[in-house]
Amino acid sequence: MANYVFRTGGSDDPAAPLFLVFHGTGGDENQFFDLAGELLPGGRIVAPRGDVSENGASRYFRRTGEGVYDMADLANRTEAMIGFVREQQAGRSGKVVGLGYSNGANILASALFKAPDLFDASVLMHPLIPFEPHAADFTGRKVLLTGGVRDPMAPAAMTEALAEYFRRNGADAQLVWHQGGHELRPEELRAAQQFLSPMAQIRA
């Protein structure tokens, strides 16, 4: 079990949605913490820091090159992250929501593949999954994917394939584009806020 450094805050109500946010390469637990409070007001926010260092930049799993993942390490760290999320869920009754950007989106997606029941709704911003995930049952789960049509790190075709994977496996999956590259833009943040807004009112 990984002992993540993490930041938490927001609502203490156990029925409030639990909102886990995952940073990009070189980010940390603060990268999306304040944004999370704006996207899902009233939630309990948990932001773990990746426990892999790549030349001093924090990540959630190892890679050997751009888009070339250490698959054994990814599998081990995915299991650790699933365990961490379940620990955060203990004693809570609210919906569980995830948001990740870039490397954070990739660890979130990997957790979804392994444990499709883990999150009720997920936002994957600029994910890159350069492998074919196995079939899983995402019935009743909601997924928003966002990306840039000119993203050199997360090619549009791979993002479209990932969205189709989720749809094919029963998820309610949406895909939102902006005209830029790997950067986050206001239109995808607005899409995320709209996607998550119903969660702020939901109690399990």
Side-chain angles (χ1 to χ4, degrees), residues 89-105:
Q89 285 179 275
R92 306 190 59 85
S93 60
K95 297 291 185 178
V96 182
V97 182
L99 178 146
Y101 164 66
S102 192
N103 180 242

Side-chain angles (χ1 to χ4, degrees), residues 10-90:
S11 176
D12 291 325
D13 182 353
L18 177 64
F19 192 15
L20 290 110
V21 291
F22 305 95
H23 62 78
T25 298
D28 62 20
E29 65 275 18
N30 300 304
Q31 184 174 23
F32 295 122
F33 194 86
D34 292 337
L35 176 65
E38 298 174 14
L39 293 178
L40 188 56
R44 181 67 177 176
I45 304 164
V46 178
R49 182 194 304 172
D51 58 346
V52 170
S53 177
E54 182 180 88
N55 301 317
S58 293
R59 286 176 52 84
Y60 292 103
F61 59 88
R62 296 190 183 100
R63 61 181 173 180
T64 58
E66 191 67 55
V68 183
Y69 298 162
D70 180 331
M71 296 302 289
D73 187 69
L74 174 59
N76 290 334
R77 294 184 190 276
T78 296
E79 290 288 356
M81 184 59 76
I82 291 169
F84 174 78
V85 174
R86 295 209 189 278
E87 284 182 352
Q88 298 303 311
Q89 285 179 275

